[in-house]
Amino acid sequence: MSTSETHDKDQKTKTTPLFRNLSADQDPEVTEIESLCLQCRQNGTTRLLLTKIPFYKEVVIMSFSCNHCHWENNELQPAAKIQEKGVLYRLNVLSPRDLARIVVKTEWASVMIPELDFEIPCHSQEGIVTTVEGIIERTCTGLSQKIEYLKDEDSESASKITEFLEKLQNLKSGNTHFTFVLRDCSGNSFLENICAPLPDPQLEGSHFERSREENLLLGLYALDAETEENKAESHSQAYEENNLKDEVLGLPTNCYSCSAPCVTNMKLTHILF
């Protein structure tokens, strides 16, 4: 290879960003890695795609497939750090167009539909890139499998799940108005604004302070820090108790003989035996 060709290649490497927007005109650069299948313990293939989502951030999309047992898995991981605050999206779904909005859901995100008292807890699913309808469809698929399992074991529960499943499936028609809530304590989930860069009247986004439990879940609040706080509190209580042993407390009261105002002195002590 000539010096000029080497220079051109180096320049191209420097100017090509690591995370690039997906385009129909260009083939995405997918990295393939041989990895272990957790189902059959044979070697499968993991594919990694580093890309950008418009009006969002850089993400790593991962997929795994095994040619031996045909098990497949897809997952998304944000390439950004955990944000200083959590993020909360509230979408009023009014039409079929809203069902097609892009949703980036990390494993730390929870999904709620208040009208059905429905919630997908955080850390119960891996991260995915999907749509509002995709979230509902995935839930319907899981519930359908649950019904098949419960038909013979618990017919009453199967009947209740079937009734709830019908309500969920009605949401996919786009004719039923409902609220879609996405809450992520890591701050890295995303719900598409179809009016971007202008504000979306149907979408409300806000940030919130994480609780101690959420910081522990994310690994941002060390357990030993909590232990140190408990130790400090114990030392403080012990210090107060020691001070009380050396202190005489005076309580205003009345004399039981003549009812005149007086002071009753009290002191903590320890009597042997």
Side-chain angles (χ1 to χ4, degrees), residues 207-234:
H207 294 85
F208 62 89
E209 296 287 347
R210 282 186 289 267
S211 64
R212 173 180 293 184
E213 290 74 17
E214 289 172 331
N215 280 327
L216 282 171
L217 183 66
L218 294 170
L220 299 178
Y221 191 93
L223 287 173
D224 56 352
E226 186 177 12
T227 303
E228 290 298 326
E229 285 189 4
N230 292 337
K231 287 182 179 179
E233 186 176 350
S234 299

Side-chain angles (χ1 to χ4, degrees), residues 3 23 37 53 93 108-110 146 153 189 202 220 228 244:
T3 305
S23 173
C37 176
I53 296 178
V93 180
W108 312 107
S110 61
K146 188 72 172 179
E153 301 290 335
S189 286
Q202 295 174 224
L220 299 178
E228 290 298 326
L244 285 176

Side-chain angles (χ1 to χ4, degrees), residues 115-218:
E115 288 81 356
L116 298 183
D117 195 20
F118 168 73
E119 179 179 0
I120 301 175
C122 69
H123 218 258
S124 61
Q125 297 177 347
E126 67 275 4
I128 54 173
V129 179
T130 181
T131 61
V132 174
E133 183 178 6
I135 294 284
I136 298 174
E137 179 62 34
R138 189 176 188 184
T139 303
C140 290
T141 301
L143 290 178
S144 298
Q145 295 173 351
K146 188 72 172 179
I147 291 172
E148 292 297 324
Y149 174 77
L150 290 175
K151 274 184 178 179
D152 299 328
E153 301 290 335
D154 189 348
S155 58
E156 183 179 354
S157 296
S159 177
K160 291 181 179 179
I161 295 176
T162 301
E163 182 180 349
F164 181 78
L165 181 59
E166 292 176 355
K167 295 179 181 179
L168 268 181
Q169 290 174 336
N170 288 335
L171 299 183
K172 295 192 299 179
S173 65
N175 299 322
T176 303
H177 297 177
F178 65 94
T179 307
F180 183 88
V181 181
L182 179 66
R183 186 183 189 277
D184 186 356
C185 60
S186 74
N188 284 325
S189 286
F190 170 76
L191 185 53
E192 181 186 8
N193 174 3
I194 59 176
C195 301
L198 300 176
D200 189 334
Q202 295 174 224
L203 179 64
E204 177 185 348
S206 60
H207 294 85
F208 62 89
E209 296 287 347
R210 282 186 289 267
S211 64
R212 173 180 293 184
E213 290 74 17
E214 289 172 331
N215 280 327
L216 282 171
L217 183 66
L218 294 170

